[in-house]
Amino acid sequence: MVNGTACSRTSASRRFFLATLSFVLATSVGCSGSSDQPELGLVSGTVTLNGSPLSGVAVTFRPDDGRPAVGKTDSEGNYQLTYIRDTLGCKIGHNRVEIGNSEESGEVNEQEGEQEGDNVRQDPKKRANEIPARYNVRSELEADVKVGENKFNFDLKS
């Protein structure tokens, strides 16, 4: 009966080993499955208007196809793009860049600037309201995002 016990242990050990190996392989395949997230490049920079930093404005990079990446300028005009949730970056390749007030469209902002005249330009709190449409809703700005770190500074002119 000694051989029977040894055989049972070997068989049980072999089953345990195979079960463990199967589990490891199954979880490895699940973790390395393909992601629908495209390759991203890190994007940051500074936005100024007539040489002065713009704070609190939205910076949006819109790729030719796919999800846009968005950032918001700080008090010194610096921004960093976020692709989704806590994932920093932007889809690599050609992007149209829009810069404007995060709460209103550029057309409304431009109309407000025309209606209020030079008073808008003199009030630093309303600086975002004077961004011309050629930088937001009808943006002429473009950027070619590469893999790795990218720095795009935008000096807008009113």
Side-chain angles (χ1 to χ4, degrees), residues 40-98:
L40 303 175
L42 295 176
V43 177
S44 63
T46 304
V47 180
T48 58
L49 181 64
N50 299 323
S52 298
L54 278 176
S55 65
V57 297
V59 179
T60 306
F61 277 50
R62 296 189 183 279
D64 294 336
D65 64 327
R67 173 188 301 274
V70 181
K72 190 170 184 178
T73 58
D74 64 15
S75 61
E76 296 177 6
N78 299 311
Y79 72 92
Q80 184 173 27
L81 296 182
T82 301
Y83 179 70
I84 186 171
R85 293 182 206 99
D86 296 328
T87 303
L88 295 178
C90 176
K91 187 174 179 184
I92 60 170
H94 177 264
N95 284 265
R96 193 177 112 220
V97 180
E98 297 175 2

Side-chain angles (χ1 to χ4, degrees), residues 1-18:
M1 292 305 256
V2 174
N3 287 341
T5 306
C7 189
S8 296
R9 283 190 205 153
T10 304
S11 180
S13 296
R14 189 171 291 162
R15 281 188 294 221
F16 178 77
F17 174 76
L18 291 175

Side-chain angles (χ1 to χ4, degrees), residues 104-122 126-134 136-138 158:
E104 300 172 353
S105 74
E107 289 181 20
V108 171
N109 293 340
E110 191 171 60
Q111 289 171 0
E112 286 176 3
E114 291 171 5
Q115 291 171 357
E116 295 180 21
D118 291 334
N119 292 335
V120 173
R121 298 189 196 296
Q122 295 171 0
K126 295 186 179 180
R127 221 177 245 169
N129 291 333
E130 68 180 84
I131 299 172
R134 70 179 179 269
N136 48 62
V137 294
R138 292 187 291 258
S158 53

